[in-house]
Every structure is written in C-alpha cells, then in structure tokens.
C-alpha cells in the first residue's frame, strides 16, 4: 500500500515553547499537506512537522514510504514514528498525446 501526499505550499507555522514536564525549550515547524488514505477519492488534510523551516516539502506530489518509520511501541504494538517518514517525490506525469503534439507544434514555430 502506498500513500499519496499532495503539498500545496512550502509555508510552515512555527510552534515553540517550554515543556511543562522537562522545563526544556522546544521548537518545530508544522506544514499542512493532503494525504490520500486507503481507497479514499478525496484527500485528508494532515500536518507534518520539521526540525527547521527550510526542511519543508516543496509543492508537488509525493509517495509516502512508511517502512523506515515502523517500530514496536512501548506497549508491544505497531508504532509509527512520524519523524522518520520518507516523502518520495512522484515521477513527473508523461504528457498526453494532445499535449505533446501542441508542445511540439508550438516549439517548431
């Protein structure tokens, strides 16, 4: 099973503060993306986080590889560490015959 992800913008929102448990400062960057989960026709809006704003995904389509993020959680169940998810850029879509013909005609003029 693969999960398709669509990114509209590389904009992020900074989240920072001080942990009430440890007293340590934290900072991360949230980025909204859309994921096509299962056989759904429509994407679900989700948020992914990054250590820095410059690590945000660029706009486009990605395939989500979850294998590297799988682990056994502290209760002995299957866990997913969202920080280890791998976003693989989707291959560019091939031009249709009509589009390719129009591009070839325009280029020859």
């Amino acid at each position: 099973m693969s999960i398709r992800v669509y990114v509209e913008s590389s904009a992020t929102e900074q989240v920072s503060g001080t942990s009430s448990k440890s007293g340590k400062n934290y900072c991360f960057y949230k980025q909204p993306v859309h994921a096509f989960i299962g056989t759904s026709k429509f994407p679900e809006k989700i948020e992914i986080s990054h250590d820095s704003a410059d690590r945000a995904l660029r706009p486009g389509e990605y395939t989500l590889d979850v294998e590297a993020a799988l682990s056994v959680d502290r209760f002995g169940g299957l866990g997913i560490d969202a920080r280890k998810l791998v976003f693989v850029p989707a291959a560019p879509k091939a031009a249709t015959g009509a589009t390719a013909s129009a591009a070839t005609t325009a280029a020859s003029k």
Side-chain angles (χ1 to χ4, degrees), residues 91-104:
K93 293 182 180 177
T96 63
T99 306
S101 296
T104 303

Side-chain angles (χ1 to χ4, degrees), residues 17-87:
T18 304
S19 170
S20 59
K21 287 186 178 182
S22 68
K24 293 182 180 180
N25 292 333
Y26 62 86
C27 179
F28 63 93
Y29 298 82
K30 298 188 307 184
Q31 181 180 20
V33 302
H34 293 86
F36 292 86
I37 300 171
T39 59
S40 174
K41 291 182 183 179
F42 303 103
E44 296 285 336
K45 185 175 181 182
I46 63 171
E47 289 182 340
I48 57 175
S49 60
H50 306 284
D51 293 335
S52 63
D54 62 333
R55 299 206 41 160
L57 297 175
R58 295 181 182 267
E61 282 194 40
Y62 296 82
T63 300
L64 185 56
D65 180 1
V66 299
E67 192 169 337
L70 296 177
S71 65
V72 176
D73 67 17
R74 64 184 180 159
F75 302 110
L78 182 62
I80 297 177
D81 184 345
R83 296 168 296 182
K84 294 181 180 178
L85 293 171
V86 177
F87 293 85

